[in-house]
Amino acid sequence: MTVRLLSIETAVPDTVIRQEDVSRLFAEQPGMTRLGTRVVRSAFAGAGVSTRHTVLPELGTAAAATITGDDAAATGSGGEAAGARGPNEASNGRADDGTTSPHALGRDGAERAGDDAAASPFVDPATRRLRSPGTHARNQLYTEHAKPMFVTAARAALDAAAPGVGLEDVTHVITVSCTGFFAPGPDVRVAKDLGLPADVKRMHLGFMGCNAAFPALQAAYTACRVDPDAVVLVVCVELCTLHLHVRNDTDTIMGNALFADGAAAAVVTARDVAVAGPTLELVDFETTLAPVGEDELAWSVGDEGFEMILGTYVPRIIDDHVTDALAPLLDRAGLSAERIPLWAVHPGGRSILDKVQGRLALTDEQMAPSRGVLADAGNMSSATILFVLERLLRAGDEGTVAALAFGPGLSIESALLRVRPASETA
């Protein structure tokens, strides 16, 4: 039995923020020490990020206000690229490399552009001083923005899987997020707003962190193995910029330099149906907990939003343990890292990608999808690996894919997949 991802679709909010602008904004904040300002500039410059997207247009406005001269005219007044397009998207709605860019979403989750910055607890518009709202205010914004983003991404993935499957075929919905909460949850919102069958099976994976798409995909894979007629909709939405803070500690600064907002969805099934483009066969999964690092990568609820611990030793821990973490997966397939042509590595940061590339002796070409997503869209937590897989699929290469991501614990999730040409069905 072959279980495939028939489609992967991604979406981003329409406000684009440039890394150099946000770096200046945070470095200029009252309360930043001289050392903290230096750390901000160094961390932002070395993060491997060029642009990110946020559901906070006021953050884009404040960041854009740091631009002077020709840069301001080229970027526009709201921190948004002309037309509020996706990363690297040209005026014809396609990326510069010819691939389709992520959908751009307005404040209500619809695909549109041109929102004015609305009043927000995050920014004083007169001074561009960043405020620190409480967790309740941040979660209200999460609820407002995440609900339509879950539905928009899910609908796009189902549209891309047509005519092979339709709304009436969906048997399971699995939603994923670690950046906010509401109930009835995202699984209910997706089912109701899409008009899915009332008896659709639902699951929400919450607060698992950056690698949560893997257990979601594994749950979808298991459901399809149990019921070959199942059609599983997996949707990840993360609004990380709602948890930005102005502080001098390195963990907070690193999080501010990396994290962004985005959504991704996939349709998984073992049905023997044809779709327009290539698909990804799900082959096998593996998970492991590193023996060290539990305190180096963590995520908790604080009084002023969620608190990220992203220790400087995380890249070193991954470097020490990624080979052992992959060994069971590769051994079952009779493969070694050097025999796998395609790689999708969660871009948790440039230093993490550097360590994985060096340890596994991967080429720059093999790391290009991961580094490209990091540069164009930043780290969108659980949604990010689907952005990487989407980019890899649309590049047109074929063969085995090794995918891996890292999360609290320190947990390492991995999977083997196989690109199947459009002409092949299950």
Side-chain angles (χ1 to χ4, degrees):
M1 180 188 302
T2 301
V3 180
R4 295 179 296 156
L5 278 77
L6 297 186
S7 64
I8 301 175
E9 291 294 315
T10 59
V12 291
D14 59 2
T15 297
V16 184
I17 51 177
R18 301 194 313 171
Q19 187 77 340
E20 59 265 37
D21 303 335
V22 186
S23 175
R24 283 194 292 267
L25 178 65
F26 274 90
E28 294 170 359
Q29 292 302 304
M32 293 301 297
T33 64
R34 187 172 301 176
L35 175 60
T37 297
R38 289 201 299 267
V39 174
V40 166
R41 290 171 177 157
S42 174
F44 277 70
V49 177
S50 297
T51 56
R52 288 179 279 168
H53 295 255
T54 177
V55 295
L56 300 172
E58 60 272 30
L59 181 62
T61 299
T66 66
I67 310 173
T68 58
D70 294 339
D71 285 344
T75 303
S77 62
E80 301 174 17
R85 304 176 190 112
N88 287 339
E89 195 169 0
S91 60
N92 61 359
R94 298 184 69 81
D96 295 337
D97 62 1
T99 61
T100 304
S101 291
H103 300 287
L105 302 178
R107 287 181 69 91
D108 60 359
E111 291 180 41
R112 62 183 180 84
D115 272 328
D116 294 328
S120 166
F122 278 89
V123 181
D124 181 336
T127 64
R128 292 188 295 109
R129 179 170 183 168
L130 298 179
R131 299 163 172 159
S132 187
T135 303
H136 175 70
R138 295 175 193 251
N139 198 66
Q140 280 187 312
L141 286 169
Y142 172 85
T143 303
E144 174 190 345
H145 293 290
K147 284 181 178 180
M149 288 180 70
F150 272 105
V151 176
T152 299
R155 182 177 287 113
L158 282 169
D159 288 346
V165 298
L167 290 170
E168 68 281 1
D169 298 308
V170 177
T171 59
H172 299 69
V173 172
I174 302 173
T175 55
V176 182
S177 188
C178 69
T179 47
F181 302 95
F182 57 86
D187 52 316
V188 173
R189 193 73 278 131
V190 169
K192 287 193 170 185
D193 286 6
L194 292 183
L196 299 180
D199 62 350
V200 66
K201 297 176 177 63
R202 306 182 319 277
M203 176 190 302
H204 179 68
L205 298 181
F207 225 67
M208 289 192 70
C210 291
N211 56 13
F214 283 83
L217 289 173
Q218 186 169 15
Y221 173 81
T222 300
C224 293
R225 297 282 295 181
V226 171
D227 177 8
D229 202 42
V231 174
V232 187
L233 185 55
V234 176
V235 195
C236 304
V237 173
E238 302 289 7
L239 306 184
C240 305
T241 65
L242 294 179
H243 301 288
L244 297 175
H245 301 86
V246 179
R247 294 175 185 163
N248 287 285
D249 67 277
T250 303
D251 287 351
T252 299
I253 292 171
M254 200 67 240
N256 292 341
L258 285 171
F259 285 99
D261 302 344
V267 176
V268 182
T269 189
R271 290 188 183 186
D272 189 9
V273 295
V275 293
T279 60
L280 275 170
E281 176 186 351
L282 296 173
V283 178
D284 197 7
F285 293 86
E286 184 60 45
T287 183
T288 190
L289 292 171
V292 296
E294 184 172 348
D295 296 331
E296 295 293 323
L297 182 55
W299 188 230
S300 61
V301 179
D303 292 335
E304 297 179 352
F306 298 172
E307 308 282 349
M308 165 61 72
I309 296 175
L310 189 61
T312 56
Y313 288 106
V314 169
R316 184 183 303 177
I317 294 168
I318 292 171
D319 185 27
D320 289 342
H321 297 283
V322 67
T323 302
D324 289 342
L326 284 171
L329 184 74
L330 300 185
D331 288 348
R332 287 195 297 270
L335 292 171
S336 57
E338 55 267 24
R339 290 178 56 197
I340 297 176
L342 305 174
W343 287 78
V345 182
H346 170 69
R350 190 173 75 176
S351 58
I352 289 175
L353 294 180
D354 289 346
K355 291 295 187 183
V356 171
Q357 180 172 6
R359 176 63 64 180
L360 301 178
L362 304 180
T363 66
D364 290 344
E365 183 179 7
Q366 288 173 309
M367 295 296 294
S370 298
R371 293 192 187 276
V373 169
L374 179 64
D376 296 340
N379 182 346
M380 299 162 285
S381 192
S382 69
T384 318
I385 194 65
L386 291 175
F387 277 71
V388 178
L389 289 171
E390 180 197 40
R391 184 169 291 213
L392 189 153
L393 256 186
R394 289 178 171 162
D397 297 324
E398 297 180 11
T400 300
V401 181
L404 66 156
F406 320 98
L410 195 153
S411 56
I412 303 175
E413 301 283 345
S414 56
L416 282 180
L417 308 92
R418 186 176 297 113
V419 179
R420 299 175 68 101
S423 58
E424 290 187 18
T425 61

